[in-house]
Amino acid sequence: MALAPGRNATIEDVALAAGVSRAAVSKVLRDAYGVSDSMRERVTAAMTELNYRPRIAARAMRGRTFTIGIEIPVLGNQFFTRMLSGAMHALADTRYQVVIAPAEEKSRQGLRAIEALVDRQVDGVIAVSPRVTPEALERIAAHTPVVMFGRHDNSEAYDTVAGDDVVGAKAAMAHLLELGHTKIAHLTLPESDEEHESPHGLRLQTYVGEMERAGLAGEILVIRTDEGQDAAYRTLRDALREGAEPTAVFAAHDELAIGALHAVAEADRPISVVGYDDVPIASHPALGLTTVDQPGDEMGARAIQLLLERVGGRTDAVHEVFEPQLRVRTSTTPPA
Amino acid sequence: MALAPGRNATIEDVALAAGVSRAAVSKVLRDAYGVSDSMRERVTAAMTELNYRPRIAARAMRGRTFTIGIEIPVLGNQFFTRMLSGAMHALADTRYQVVIAPAEEKSRQGLRAIEALVDRQVDGVIAVSPRVTPEALERIAAHTPVVMFGRHDNSEAYDTVAGDDVVGAKAAMAHLLELGHTKIAHLTLPESDEEHESPHGLRLQTYVGEMERAGLAGEILVIRTDEGQDAAYRTLRDALREGAEPTAVFAAHDELAIGALHAVAEADRPISVVGYDDVPIASHPALGLTTVDQPGDEMGARAIQLLLERVGGRTDAVHEVFEPQLRVRTSTTPPA
DNA sequence: ATGAAAGCGCTAACAG
DNA sequence: CTGTTAGCGCTTTCAT
């Protein structure tokens, strides 16, 4: 214990204890070329002896941090949990560590969170930010590899991983139309969430398009709500009280759909509800939420894979699209 | 644009552009004492001009990183979401940034994630790790402020914020006993999750104690399951198939309770279920889960407050306990 | 195979 | 009020 109390061991301490140079320690740390077995042994011994842990911040000033940053807009949405678990899984056997930065509640654009990550020298960023401009992302992507999750914009500077929202929304609408619904409302987020080829924007456009195609342009009803189950519940409850009479609601994602189910249960009217994502709770028999399954874990894993490729040097953009799948459950029935 | 392409602006670039010294720039950055208005102006102008962002890693080598690390064991549990949103809220108007490190699925002890955070020079850590030893935590807390969430151990080295699990579990049991249940099972996590004064350990002990106190020692039935709704569902389903005949299940937390509700729905037997935490979905009318409400957001906010106090220099330990509250809903009824 | 030394971008004395 | 300078702990040529 040649250590001053209150101070953690540094590479210097290890070098001293092992009787070698700092460079040598650094080499065994990164198992770089050119270390004899005997040296490696002594150094390793000294490291465990001193309980040495390399300071990533110091390393950051020269090389990699082996940290991947993931920005998500809301913590509550279980779809992101699926994505994250796929991502973590993909990174499980690597030296990389995941850190998550949730966007603040207020200015939910997420740009601040992404920049906070970049400021902390992550090796790459995965972000879910429908509202950040491509320009801002390109500025960031010029220095740090970026994969955007859920977006469909075609930048050359960053990759994207998204579900096919048009196909998914069409499946949801086809299901409701086949059941015989005509008064189908769409429950979605505020308009500001629709920019930049966002999932919700596409789902909305598809809803409108399919209604028109079915000759139901006159029945189009778009209900806007804030993020979250509870806000969705309140919004739909109020809309129903104020005279809206849909027989079916297509929600932009499952959190909203679950809130909708709450309002429907209270209103005691037979209104079908379709969600999007297939979060774990959707298949619970108490909810039985019909929804569009997106393979969140696969998408998360793929996002990591693309990001690591970029960290490894790839510079041309890849834009990947995953096929969603309708899951029919009890929350949808023919209109009364 | 005196910048080499592909390189981000540094404090040096800003100093050059503004025609001042690096120290001056650093000062306006941290708005330290001793900067004239004119200098501040020129420097600020240069910073925006060059799109300058300080590298936290470099700052980390001298001072604070203004980063708080939060370690959580599982992403899926919505109670942690409540805690996180309380924590983020408490930090909203400060310079601090939150980063979250989820423990890996496999070795879920969380120590690795905590250390990953510390290696990245966070100014303080909030962690939810029932299975990490106090010794390991004390070693970490010697250099980095730590607040443990959910634990009841009485270390001098770190603070704790927890719910009163004994009171909560007693309330749950009293409710079931008052309804007339005698065959009450307890659904909880594997034994390894009970160490170090963990919430689940205390809830289990209280369950056993209350059963004995009610003269029901012979009816004690502890069912162990892995983490997660789905695992809980499968475990209880199998237990019911194999002959277990409880009329009520007290689950160690809501995720497990929701899985239990699934199994109960399938078994088509009138089994009451009580959870713990009161996650947002618990109050959904489709579930109507009776549960013990813990003020997760308040607890998260308090954890931040304590952590910032420690960052600010406090060294004596604070151990805070929050009172839970039973929420009776439709998932509990008298036995048939 | 090993070590010496330069430097990453920032902060914090300290001088002026 | 402003600038000089010495590091923080690590990686990385470049000698040896």
Side-chain angles (χ1 to χ4, degrees):
Chain A
M1 279 293 157
L3 272 182
R7 207 177 112 271
N8 270 325
T10 74
I11 203 170
E12 175 96 52
D13 299 316
V14 175
L16 247 50
V20 299
S21 72
R22 273 164 26 216
V25 177
S26 176
K27 272 174 191 157
V28 342
L29 220 49
R30 302 168 286 133
D31 48 14
Y33 180 77
V35 259
S36 67
D37 286 358
S38 77
M39 165 168 277
R40 180 190 314 284
E41 241 170 72
R42 272 186 305 157
V43 170
T44 314
M47 292 200 302
T48 49
E49 155 84 20
L50 295 176
N51 217 300
Y52 170 71
R53 302 196 58 95
R55 235 79 94 230
I56 303 288
R59 170 177 292 166
M61 305 211 62
R62 301 309 247 115
R64 300 262 166 88
T65 58
F66 293 100
T67 310
I68 298 296
I70 303 185
E71 178 267 347
I72 55 174
V74 278
L75 294 155
N77 191 330
Q78 297 279 39
F79 177 61
F80 298 133
T81 308
R82 279 184 77 179
M83 181 269 267
L84 286 169
S85 91
M88 301 225 25
H89 210 79
L91 243 27
D93 295 321
T94 70
R95 307 179 49 184
Y96 284 89
Q97 170 70 29
V98 170
V99 304
I100 301 167
E104 309 93 69
E105 294 171 44
K106 301 287 173 68
S107 63
R108 223 173 58 263
Q109 338 90 319
L111 182 55
R112 272 191 46 148
I114 296 174
E115 287 185 323
L117 252 12
V118 171
D119 293 345
R120 282 159 184 77
Q121 306 279 111
V122 295
D123 290 342
V125 171
I126 296 176
V128 190
S129 288
R131 290 159 67 183
V132 175
T133 65
E135 294 71 41
L137 293 176
E138 277 167 0
R139 180 168 47 72
I140 289 166
H143 301 289
T144 305
V146 171
V147 176
M148 295 304 296
F149 192 86
R151 291 167 62 124
H152 294 265
D153 47 351
N154 244 295
S155 172
E156 273 305 302
Y158 49 88
D159 301 334
T160 59
V161 168
D164 192 327
D165 294 293
V166 173
V167 165
K170 275 188 178 165
M173 290 301 293
H175 173 61
L176 289 174
L177 291 167
E178 271 163 29
L179 284 173
H181 289 281
T182 54
K183 298 162 94 66
I184 305 172
H186 184 49
L187 180 64
T188 189
L189 296 174
E191 252 182 298
S192 53
D193 277 293
E194 269 156 43
E195 300 160 47
H196 313 304
E197 305 283 328
S198 79
H200 301 130
L202 287 175
R203 291 170 201 171
L204 169 63
Q205 286 167 33
T206 306
Y207 158 78
V208 171
E210 293 300 289
M211 287 295 276
E212 286 169 348
R213 230 164 52 94
L216 298 171
E219 302 288 356
I220 287 174
L221 173 59
V222 175
I223 304 173
R224 302 278 183 180
T225 179
D226 284 330
E227 190 63 78
Q229 262 173 53
D230 207 51
Y233 154 64
R234 270 193 261 269
T235 303
L236 185 57
R237 180 196 62 191
D238 294 349
L240 293 178
R241 277 188 192 157
E242 286 161 18
E245 293 193 324
T247 63
V249 173
F250 169 33
H253 67 239
D254 283 353
E255 293 291 316
L256 303 183
I258 292 168
L261 242 22
H262 187 161
V264 166
E266 272 188 17
D268 203 29
R269 277 193 254 168
I271 300 177
S272 289
V273 175
V274 179
Y276 208 108
D277 288 345
D278 201 16
V279 298
I281 193 93
S283 58
H284 195 287
L287 291 174
L289 179 62
T290 295
T291 188
V292 180
D293 186 0
Q294 294 202 91
D297 23 26
E298 281 177 52
M299 292 165 75
R302 183 69 178 133
I304 288 291
Q305 200 182 349
L306 291 177
L307 191 62
L308 292 184
E309 284 175 20
R310 276 209 179 256
V311 170
R314 175 167 57 74
T315 53
D316 54 316
V318 173
H319 300 288
E320 200 109 350
V321 177
F322 284 72
E323 287 314 299
Q325 188 130 25
L326 185 71
R327 306 282 176 209
V328 177
R329 302 205 179 96
T330 55
S331 73
T332 44
T333 54
Chain B
M1 279 294 157
L3 273 183
R7 205 176 114 271
N8 269 325
T10 74
I11 203 172
E12 174 96 53
D13 299 317
V14 176
L16 247 52
V20 299
S21 72
R22 272 164 27 215
V25 178
S26 177
K27 273 175 190 153
V28 341
L29 220 48
R30 300 168 286 133
D31 47 16
Y33 180 77
V35 261
S36 66
D37 285 358
S38 79
M39 166 168 276
R40 181 190 313 284
E41 239 171 74
R42 271 186 305 156
V43 169
T44 315
M47 292 201 301
T48 50
E49 155 84 18
L50 295 177
N51 217 298
Y52 169 71
R53 300 196 61 95
R55 235 77 96 232
I56 304 287
R59 169 177 293 166
M61 306 211 62
R62 299 312 246 112
R64 301 264 164 88
T65 58
F66 293 100
T67 310
I68 299 295
I70 303 185
E71 177 267 347
I72 54 174
V74 279
L75 294 155
N77 191 331
Q78 297 280 38
F79 177 61
F80 298 134
T81 307
R82 278 184 79 180
M83 181 269 267
L84 287 168
S85 89
M88 299 223 29
H89 210 79
L91 243 28
D93 294 321
T94 70
R95 307 180 49 185
Y96 285 90
Q97 170 70 28
V98 170
V99 304
I100 301 166
E104 309 94 66
E105 294 170 45
K106 301 288 174 68
S107 62
R108 222 173 58 263
Q109 338 89 321
L111 182 55
R112 271 190 49 146
I114 296 174
E115 288 186 319
L117 252 13
V118 172
D119 293 345
R120 282 160 184 76
Q121 306 277 109
V122 295
D123 290 342
V125 171
I126 295 175
V128 191
S129 287
R131 291 158 69 181
V132 175
T133 65
E135 293 72 43
L137 293 176
E138 277 166 359
R139 181 168 47 70
I140 290 166
H143 301 289
T144 305
V146 172
V147 176
M148 295 303 296
F149 192 86
R151 292 168 60 124
H152 295 265
D153 46 353
N154 243 296
S155 172
E156 273 306 302
Y158 49 87
D159 301 335
T160 60
V161 169
D164 193 328
D165 294 292
V166 173
V167 165
K170 275 188 178 164
M173 291 300 294
H175 173 62
L176 290 174
L177 291 167
E178 271 163 30
L179 284 172
H181 289 280
T182 55
K183 299 161 92 67
I184 306 172
H186 184 50
L187 180 63
T188 188
L189 297 174
E191 253 183 295
S192 54
D193 276 292
E194 269 156 42
E195 300 160 48
H196 313 304
E197 307 281 328
S198 78
H200 302 128
L202 287 175
R203 292 170 201 171
L204 169 63
Q205 286 166 33
T206 306
Y207 159 78
V208 170
E210 293 301 288
M211 287 295 276
E212 287 169 346
R213 231 164 51 93
L216 298 171
E219 302 288 358
I220 288 173
L221 173 59
V222 175
I223 305 174
R224 303 278 182 178
T225 179
D226 284 330
E227 190 64 79
Q229 261 173 55
D230 207 50
Y233 155 64
R234 269 192 262 270
T235 302
L236 186 58
R237 180 196 62 190
D238 294 349
L240 294 177
R241 277 187 191 158
E242 287 162 16
E245 293 192 326
T247 63
V249 173
F250 170 33
H253 67 239
D254 283 353
E255 293 291 314
L256 303 182
I258 291 168
L261 241 24
H262 187 162
V264 165
E266 271 187 18
D268 202 28
R269 277 193 253 167
I271 300 177
S272 289
V273 174
V274 179
Y276 207 109
D277 289 345
D278 200 16
V279 298
I281 192 95
S283 58
H284 195 287
L287 291 174
L289 179 63
T290 295
T291 188
V292 180
D293 186 358
Q294 295 201 92
D297 23 26
E298 281 177 52
M299 293 166 73
R302 183 68 179 133
I304 287 291
Q305 201 182 348
L306 292 177
L307 191 61
L308 292 184
E309 284 174 22
R310 277 210 178 255
V311 170
R314 175 166 57 72
T315 54
D316 54 316
V318 173
H319 301 287
E320 200 109 350
V321 177
F322 283 73
E323 286 314 299
Q325 187 130 25
L326 186 70
R327 306 284 176 207
V328 177
R329 302 204 179 97
T330 55
S331 73
T332 45
T333 54

